[in-house]
Amino acid sequence: MTEWPNQGDRQRDGTVGLRSAQEIELMREAGRIVCEVLDVLEQACAPGVSTAELDKLAYDETVKRKAKPAFKGYLGFPCSLCASVNDEVVHGIPSKKRVLKDGDLMKLDFGVSFKGWFGDSARTVPVGRVSDGAMNVLGVTREALARGIAAARANARIGDIGHAVQSWVEQQGCSVVRDLTGHGIGRRLHEDPRVPNYGEAGTGMLLKAGMTIAIEPMVNAGSHKVVELDDEWTIVTMDHQLSAHFEHTILITEGAPEILTRVA
Ligand code: MG
Ligand code: MG
């Protein structure tokens, strides 16, 4: 299983770095670009469009904004966009052969670096008219992200986020993927801490104002179990039921977190 490594922006005492006002401003810029590009990609998701066309669009829209696609070349990933369809959970590799069709559930996962700072976000997009089951897992996952974000504030713990996500998702009869997690983000795409989508409230690392993390529930309609395909990237549900994914990069504050990958 390819799990993104957490490369660690840790201080010598093992704590996670806090961002200065200037650094936060740059992360806002990076996040805004991620959001703008995802808006373009979401509009472009339609029957007959290949995932390779979406990838090219992601690249072009990023360069136009003087940013760099964060995934291209990262650990050898060949493209700018992770494009995962239906039972593909994450890390789908765009391809000319993968043409979207009516009823597909598309997951767009995208990040950039801008002046050395990263933003990372994901959305699930219905292509044409999708099944009620697809809309259900999409809605459950979007709400799971909202609940995870609401739990992420100074003096809460990492486990509070996972607990908020998992308890909601399981109440709805879906499951959270265990093998992949959210992550710290800043000077690198993946930093400490890991941010699992499951866990016990009141456990794990203490959150402090100034930390920046990516929360990204991956939710399956069936079993939480996933497997990696032979391409050594694409993660799919083991039971081939649908999966959905939403992600935001956020700034922890004393109050409600600031969503950085959103246009203000
Ligand atoms: Mg992502
Ligand atoms: Mg991420």
Side-chain angles (χ1 to χ4, degrees):
M1 170 89 34
T2 309
E3 158 115 60
W4 301 117
N6 282 36
Q7 296 170 320
D9 177 29
R10 273 187 184 253
Q11 319 290 0
R12 275 186 200 156
D13 61 2
T15 59
V16 169
L18 305 180
R19 310 298 173 208
S20 70
Q22 243 177 353
E23 293 168 346
I24 290 166
E25 200 43 56
L26 290 168
M27 288 192 70
R28 284 191 186 111
E29 285 285 292
R32 183 180 52 78
I33 294 168
V34 171
C35 180
E36 287 177 0
V37 175
L38 278 171
D39 284 346
V40 173
L41 296 175
E42 183 170 347
Q43 288 298 315
C45 282
V49 174
S50 76
T51 54
E53 288 172 79
L54 294 173
D55 180 60
K56 178 164 191 312
L57 192 55
Y59 180 85
D60 291 345
E61 292 291 323
T62 304
V63 171
K64 204 194 279 182
R65 291 170 173 79
K66 312 225 177 315
K68 289 182 200 157
F71 304 167
K72 202 173 178 69
Y74 182 71
L75 303 174
F77 190 77
C79 296
S80 301
L81 175 71
C82 287
S84 310
V85 187
N86 298 336
D87 66 337
E88 297 167 357
V89 179
V90 284
H91 306 167
I93 302 173
S95 161
K96 283 182 198 156
K97 291 181 200 155
R98 190 70 188 248
V99 177
L100 294 180
K101 55 185 195 309
D102 193 53
D104 279 341
L105 193 63
M106 177 68 182
K107 277 79 60 164
L108 302 166
D109 187 358
F110 179 70
V112 307
S113 69
F114 180 75
K115 296 185 178 171
W117 292 87
F118 284 81
D120 186 9
S121 181
R123 299 180 189 176
T124 298
V125 178
V127 180
R129 209 185 151 82
V130 303
S131 67
D132 291 348
M135 282 315 287
N136 183 60
V137 70
L138 182 156
V140 168
T141 313
R142 186 161 50 200
E143 176 64 18
L145 175 58
R147 289 177 182 233
I149 291 172
R153 52 178 68 203
N155 299 316
R157 291 182 179 273
I158 286 285
D160 293 322
I161 300 172
H163 177 74
V165 170
Q166 182 181 21
S167 56
W168 160 253
V169 167
E170 292 180 355
Q171 274 165 29
Q172 302 306 308
C174 297
S175 64
V176 292
V177 173
R178 266 68 156 171
D179 295 3
L180 299 134
T181 68
H183 49 90
I185 178 167
R187 267 183 281 257
R188 295 171 193 256
L189 180 60
H190 297 112
E191 299 184 348
D192 291 322
R194 284 186 197 283
V195 184
N197 294 304
Y198 55 88
E200 295 290 321
T203 65
M205 199 192 73
L206 191 67
L207 298 171
K208 293 181 189 163
M211 287 180 180
T212 44
I213 60 173
I215 301 179
E216 51 177 312
M218 289 152 264
V219 173
N220 296 348
S223 157
H224 69 86
K225 290 185 181 162
V226 296
V227 288
E228 187 182 273
L229 297 185
D230 289 342
D231 65 14
E232 298 188 338
W233 279 107
T234 314
I235 307 292
V236 300
T237 57
M238 197 179 268
D239 60 12
H240 297 295
Q241 291 202 55
L242 293 171
S243 187
H245 183 204
F246 281 90
E247 174 179 26
H248 272 307
T249 296
I250 66 164
L251 168 69
I252 305 292
T253 75
E254 299 291 341
E258 180 180 337
I259 297 174
L260 299 173
T261 40
R262 189 156 78 178
V263 177

